[in-house]
Amino acid sequence: MQDILLKYMKLGYQYLVNHILAFLLIPTAIAVAVEILRSSPARWNSFAIDPIHLIFCSFLAVFIATVYFMSKPRSIYLVDYACYKPPVTCRVPFSTFMEHSRLILKDNPKSVDFQMRILERSGLGEETCLPPAIHYIPPTPTMDAARGEAETVIFSSIDSLMKSTGLKPKQIDILVVNCSLFSPTPSLSAMIVNKYKLRSNIKSYNLSGMGCSAGLISIDLARDLLQIHPNSNALVISTEIITPNYYKGSERAMLLPNCLFRMGGAAILLSNKRRDRSRAKYKLVHVVRTHKGADDKAYKCVYEQEDPQGKVGINLSKDLMVIAGEALKSNITTIGPLVLPASEQLLFLFTLIGRKIFNPKWKPYIPDFKQAFEHFCIHAGGRAVIDELQKNLQLSAEHVEASRMTLHRFGNTSSSSLWYELGYIEAKGRMKKGDRVWQIAFGSGFKCNSAVWKCNRTIKTTSDGPWQDCINTYPVHIPEIVKI
Amino acid sequence: MEEAKCSRVKVESILSVVSGKPTEPGKVHKLSMLDRAMGSHTIHIVFYYASNPFLDGPMPSDLGNLRITLSELLDEYPYVTGRLTCEPDNGEWLIKFNDAGVRMLQATVDATIDEWLGSADGVEERDLTAWEEMPNDPSFWSPFRVQINKFKCGGLALGLSCTHMHTDLTSATMLFKAWSEVHRRQPPTHPPIFDLPPPPTPTPPPPTPSPLPTTPTKMATATLKFSPAAVDKCLSQAPADATPFDALAALFWRRVAAQAPTKRSLSICVDSRDPSQHAPAVPYAYFGNALKFSTLTDDLLSGGLGQVAGHIHRHVAGMKKEEFSSEINATGGMYGGAALTCFNAEHMAEAESGRGIMYDAEFKKGERPVHVSYSVGNVGREGLIMVMPAAEGGRGRTVTATLPEEQVAELCRDQVILDFEPTMILCGRRS
């Protein structure tokens, strides 16, 4: 009884605060209208309107309207996106991974056991894929193989995108590519310009070294460019090329990426053109970037270095989850006021004031983000990241389902994982017009980046996309520990 | 030996190929007593093609195209991609269906196919199916290995090697044939069956003591191709209902016994899958070991070619009718351990054309293998003679003899055999 009462009180409070303007204005408007109607017609004549005043007022109104519309930031639309689906020949079952690991690291049984424990608890499934060069015993990560992987992943994604949007290569105005660990010369963006014969005045950018959160950094960059260039579109490519970065040593902290990172990539088409407004899938509402690099611990927590044997790998520090939590808190503090309804913000403010002035022992109020968003895409960095965020943001299992299932089916595909997750939600038919999506990504630096999208039109489940052949088998139950 | 010790085959890379679809976890397959008895042997089959059929396909490399269809094939054979494990409490061998995949090796050969067939011997041919002995812990050891060998002339040899514990020569051939069907996008002619109903009454194996050789004998292999006319000439001396196997087994037995008079008995190995039988004991599509062994003693083996052929024929007929209990030596060494073994592959000849089914493994339509080599590893010192159907069909046969080195050399010089004008290939010297 108490609970139900509390629930209704809370609902009432939320409704009141979120619609406070309506609650204030409507009675006022009614009162004014009643007053006008009651007043005698005689008083009306005393409101003699000077024609000069009228012209001046209308001029002012038009002027203000023009300034408003001109200074409003352009709306950026996501027309469509395409994710890369690796071929089944690249599949790496757990047993094959462990077998190769044992054959390659035969002098380091402890490292092999460590990898097995990681894999058992990783949340990955048996269908994740590694590029062909890594299937060799030992792996053959040549530059050619890396370029081959880049070409396969990127060109397939772009071809899919062009097919679904009807985009012609010569129509691309802006090109942003992000790939953290593989940065050849000429760049990957030059590789795309060469393959598709893009225009010579294209604005192309290649972001490297920016970690798993670089996908949203690219979106942010594309958005800023689309503010300056009217009537343009931007092609954003987010991927991570695994071939050159397979760690060949035996240091445990550096073996983790080998177990989790898998092949993947996404191509996204953004536009500020008026005619794309109706066919676009999403509208970009906010991008919030938080960089904790000023703190030494955060800076060093994901660090590429040589191990004692001189083999290069990425060292993940033990404080990773703590630092991720801090970065998330920073990001939420910025994004909260932008997206949360007034009721939540007021509660947060009251609790904050209360803690500062009255009693520091009051529990800090964690705003309910489920009221701000219908869907969540949490970077599938690993099971621990998703668990941590689910706990911190008090999300249900269904909210994090897209992230967990993407981790299971595709592994950690770095910056493109957010797009696979979005694809999952669409493939399940859950995306309706007006739904708000929050994409959160973490990456080396340490950075936490968020993007907020609003669904522009209800998205029908289609027969293409990376989930087409397996969506009906999902969601699957992922056990805590998988026995290999 | 003055020949160069370094082989002309160079292995360039090793990788694993897995199936396209994951297997349901937790499934296991128990190996039978026969499987375990055959465990000391290994199978090596090489399919020689005049051109590389994998160059055409959606992928830029031949290895890429090969992997696509091999992956598809492996979807149907979780048995092949699994790993062996031994149960500690009862010593039972199991195959865990854990999807680990098959090992794939890429190699180049510094010769053309014709040069190779003319000059390589059994030992060098073994390099086309490079084998790794099973370690103490077989859980990360691949029992099946596929090797793609590229010749200077553009020809290709596909080698398959595996333990005899998992499969016998017939089902290994069927595996390859199924792969060629998948590659040509044809429906499979024999979808595999992995489990047989348990036998009605368990037949306890009669204990067969196998004398372990004190010193390992160096074995050699020679392949002799007999044309249909030559086989007919041989059959003319045998009773009317004798098969080419009966005649050739008798011929080789007599010539080997003539050189090594200590040989007293002959073991016949027959496959239980024989489709010519009214109700074969084992379905043709069974994947695993389905062999029967039975020994003919000295008294039946003396006499002329015709008499011996007649006795062999009657014995084979008896084996098919289950008149003799199968001799399974639990300690292994089934081939050539206790007696010279003759392997009957008449069931692998197509009913109408007489051509071996292995020659139907076309990866590209119309391109049959130019030759298919069979060889068995760890054959006992008594030796093994395999009589396989030939490429041209009819009654032609290809005989592969694995015997101690000196006996092989003698056999290739034997006038009685040479009278039948066999073409000798893979004998280590020009024919």
Side-chain angles (χ1 to χ4, degrees), chain A residues 403-467:
Chain A
S403 310
R404 286 200 200 281
M405 298 307 127
T406 299
L407 183 64
H408 184 269
R409 173 60 181 85
F410 293 99
N412 178 350
T413 57
S414 186
S415 42
S416 51
S417 65
L418 298 171
W419 301 104
Y420 285 98
E421 293 170 26
L422 199 58
Y424 178 86
I425 300 171
E426 290 181 10
K428 278 287 186 195
R430 294 178 189 164
M431 193 61 78
K432 308 269 179 294
K433 177 171 172 156
D435 280 357
R436 296 153 297 174
V437 185
W438 186 15
Q439 288 183 322
I440 314 173
F442 297 94
S444 62
F446 195 80
K447 302 189 274 290
C448 176
N449 297 332
S450 297
V452 178
W453 303 87
K454 189 156 180 190
C455 181
N456 199 37
R457 56 177 174 85
T458 298
I459 295 171
K460 293 196 287 285
T461 54
T462 50
S463 58
D464 56 14
W467 293 97

Side-chain angles (χ1 to χ4, degrees), chain A residues 91 95-96 99-100 102 137, chain B residues 14 16 83 98 103 140:
Chain A
R91 187 169 86 90
S95 51
T96 316
E99 199 169 280
H100 282 221
R102 273 218 238 167
I137 306 169
Chain B
I14 307 177
S16 293
R83 290 291 178 263
N98 69 354
R103 219 49 100 224
F140 57 100

Side-chain angles (χ1 to χ4, degrees), chain A residues 47-304:
Chain A
F47 289 119
I49 300 169
D50 204 343
I52 308 255
H53 278 151
L54 194 62
I55 293 171
F56 181 67
C57 281
S58 47
F59 222 30
L60 193 66
V62 168
F63 179 69
I64 291 173
T66 314
V67 167
Y68 171 72
F69 278 112
M70 292 296 284
S71 63
K72 195 167 82 108
R74 282 184 230 276
S75 296
I76 310 294
Y77 292 94
L78 189 159
V79 179
D80 202 356
Y81 62 95
C83 296
Y84 173 66
K85 178 151 187 272
V88 293
T89 49
C90 289
R91 187 169 86 90
V92 179
F94 283 5
S95 51
T96 316
F97 185 89
M98 285 318 306
E99 199 169 280
H100 282 221
S101 189
R102 273 218 238 167
L103 292 169
I104 296 164
L105 293 173
K106 49 180 173 295
D107 302 320
N108 292 288
K110 284 219 177 84
S111 301
V112 175
D113 279 337
F114 174 76
Q115 283 197 308
M116 185 145 92
R117 286 201 303 276
I118 296 291
L119 211 55
E120 284 174 345
R121 292 161 179 74
S122 61
L124 263 69
E126 299 273 4
E127 291 181 271
T128 61
C129 296
L130 280 173
I134 309 296
H135 291 248
Y136 285 88
I137 306 169
T140 53
T142 57
M143 183 116 196
D144 248 353
R147 275 218 169 96
E149 185 194 341
E151 286 174 8
T152 314
V153 173
I154 295 176
F155 296 164
S156 299
S157 313
I158 297 180
D159 288 341
S160 294
L161 185 64
M162 285 185 169
K163 193 161 144 222
S164 67
T165 56
L167 177 73
K168 305 273 183 304
K170 298 281 185 217
Q171 292 169 339
I172 302 173
D173 304 298
I174 299 164
L175 174 65
V176 182
V177 178
N178 74 271
C179 172
S180 191
L181 294 163
F182 178 53
S183 186
T185 299
S187 65
L188 295 175
S189 57
M191 185 177 87
I192 298 171
V193 172
N194 170 262
K195 161 86 177 171
Y196 291 94
K197 312 278 178 267
L198 304 184
R199 299 199 315 258
S200 56
N201 64 349
I202 188 155
K203 302 243 170 327
S204 67
Y205 299 84
N206 197 94
L207 302 174
S208 70
M210 300 190 88
C212 298
S213 58
L216 295 182
I217 298 179
S218 305
I219 299 287
D220 187 43
L221 178 61
R223 177 185 69 161
D224 288 345
L225 290 164
L226 286 170
Q227 299 297 338
I228 318 172
H229 300 288
N231 208 33
S232 307
N233 59 26
L235 178 63
V236 175
I237 310 288
S238 285
T239 183
E240 190 55 71
I241 302 301
I242 312 282
T243 304
N245 305 306
Y246 202 75
Y247 174 57
K248 301 198 251 309
S250 55
E251 285 293 305
R252 282 181 234 177
M254 292 157 83
L255 281 169
L256 209 74
N258 280 5
C259 298
L260 300 177
F261 277 85
R262 297 290 182 263
M263 248 174 126
I268 303 114
L269 180 63
L270 298 176
S271 169
N272 61 13
K273 294 184 185 179
R274 195 164 269 278
R275 66 162 189 275
D276 287 330
R277 209 168 278 203
S278 52
R279 70 170 182 147
K281 278 187 173 172
Y282 300 93
K283 180 168 160 211
L284 181 58
V285 182
H286 300 290
V287 177
V288 174
R289 293 166 58 176
T290 315
H291 205 306
K292 303 300 271 175
D295 173 50
D296 283 343
K297 263 176 69 179
Y299 171 64
K300 289 231 163 185
C301 106
V302 179
Y303 205 74
E304 189 180 13

Side-chain angles (χ1 to χ4, degrees), chain B residues 8-9 44-48 109 111-128 151 157 220-225 359 370-375 398-402 408 412 423-431:
Chain B
R8 285 178 284 180
V9 181
H44 305 264
I45 311 179
V46 185
F47 287 74
Y48 292 89
V109 186
T112 64
I113 286 192
D114 295 322
E115 279 170 20
W116 177 264
L117 291 174
S119 60
D121 63 3
V123 172
E124 214 187 350
E125 203 193 19
R126 196 52 72 81
D127 289 338
L128 294 179
F151 288 88
T221 307
T223 306
L224 297 92
K225 287 168 96 154
Y359 291 96
V370 295
H371 177 65
V372 181
S373 263
Y374 286 83
S375 115
T398 304
V399 176
T400 305
T402 305
V408 168
C412 293
T423 317
M424 293 205 248
I425 53 170
L426 296 164
C427 297
R429 53 199 159 83
R430 300 253 160 230
S431 49

